[in-house]
Amino acid sequence: MNIIKIDDVIEFLKGQESGIQIGFPFDGSLNGNPNEILTKILFINYRESTRIKNVDVTKLANHIESVLKADDYKIICRGELGDEYYDIVDRIAFGHGIHGVHKGKATKEYNLTSFSSKFCGSHNLSAPFWDNIVSEWLMNNDYQHNYRDYPQYVKAIIRLQSDHNLHNYSLREIEYAIWSKCKE
């Protein structure tokens, strides 16, 4: 990973005069329709490289359909980062039964925090996506959190936002700026 300083991230944010384009082609409607869930999984997996295997897409769609209730969709669309939102991210990330295989035996279940944060965040464009590159950058820059712990990750970005007076930028914009600079 390149050594990217906070000043590089701030410069990137300020250089985006018309704002960072982070939109998704979803209009905010989300109602648990199985075809909608499947389409969204395929789109996110393709666009964000979440590495969900094609063979696991239907299993993940069934899992999401089973763990989310009507009120959960309202919380996702409202996008208020808090315990209810974090709980939804975790319910999607775990309990899906998708495992790797090593020497013909199933490994432990995959942690799908990256995918689940993108699934929820695609209807809430201020919520940051969990990303390992951003997570590592935060930890290397004294914004400690447990790896793949989405609430702690969000709180680390909030601390960064506060420490550097970046309140004019959403958490998603800050996360995207870090990711973009690290990918250069």
Side-chain angles (χ1 to χ4, degrees), residues 76-160:
I76 289 170
C77 290
R78 256 195 334 260
E80 296 168 2
L81 295 176
D83 290 342
E84 291 177 311
Y85 188 87
Y86 300 145
D87 178 62
I88 294 167
V89 170
D90 279 349
R91 278 190 275 141
I92 294 171
F94 302 101
H96 45 72
I98 299 172
H99 302 268
V101 176
H102 180 71
K103 295 184 180 179
K105 295 183 179 178
T107 60
K108 68 179 185 174
E109 182 179 78
Y110 288 136
N111 177 331
L112 297 181
T113 299
S114 177
F115 170 82
S116 64
S117 70
K118 291 169 176 116
F119 182 90
C120 294
S122 64
H123 284 281
N124 171 15
L125 298 180
S126 64
F129 294 170
W130 187 92
D131 185 88
N132 65 321
I133 293 170
V134 176
S135 182
E136 288 178 30
W137 184 91
L138 288 166
M139 290 192 281
N140 290 336
N141 286 277
D142 296 323
Y143 291 94
Q144 302 304 313
H145 60 281
N146 289 333
Y147 189 71
R148 290 199 190 234
D149 183 314
Y150 186 70
Q152 286 188 16
Y153 172 83
V154 171
K155 289 173 186 167
I157 297 172
I158 291 170
R159 282 194 314 274
L160 172 71

Side-chain angles (χ1 to χ4, degrees), residues 163-182:
D163 289 352
H164 296 279
N165 197 25
L166 298 173
H167 301 289
N168 291 337
Y169 304 99
S170 71
L171 300 179
R172 173 71 177 110
E173 288 173 316
I174 295 168
E175 171 266 315
Y176 180 80
I178 296 167
W179 180 85
S180 295
K181 292 304 294 178
C182 289

Side-chain angles (χ1 to χ4, degrees), residues 31-41 61-62 65:
N31 60 24
N33 175 311
N35 289 330
E36 176 186 82
I37 292 171
L38 188 60
T39 301
K40 193 169 183 183
I41 290 170
N62 291 336
E65 186 179 3

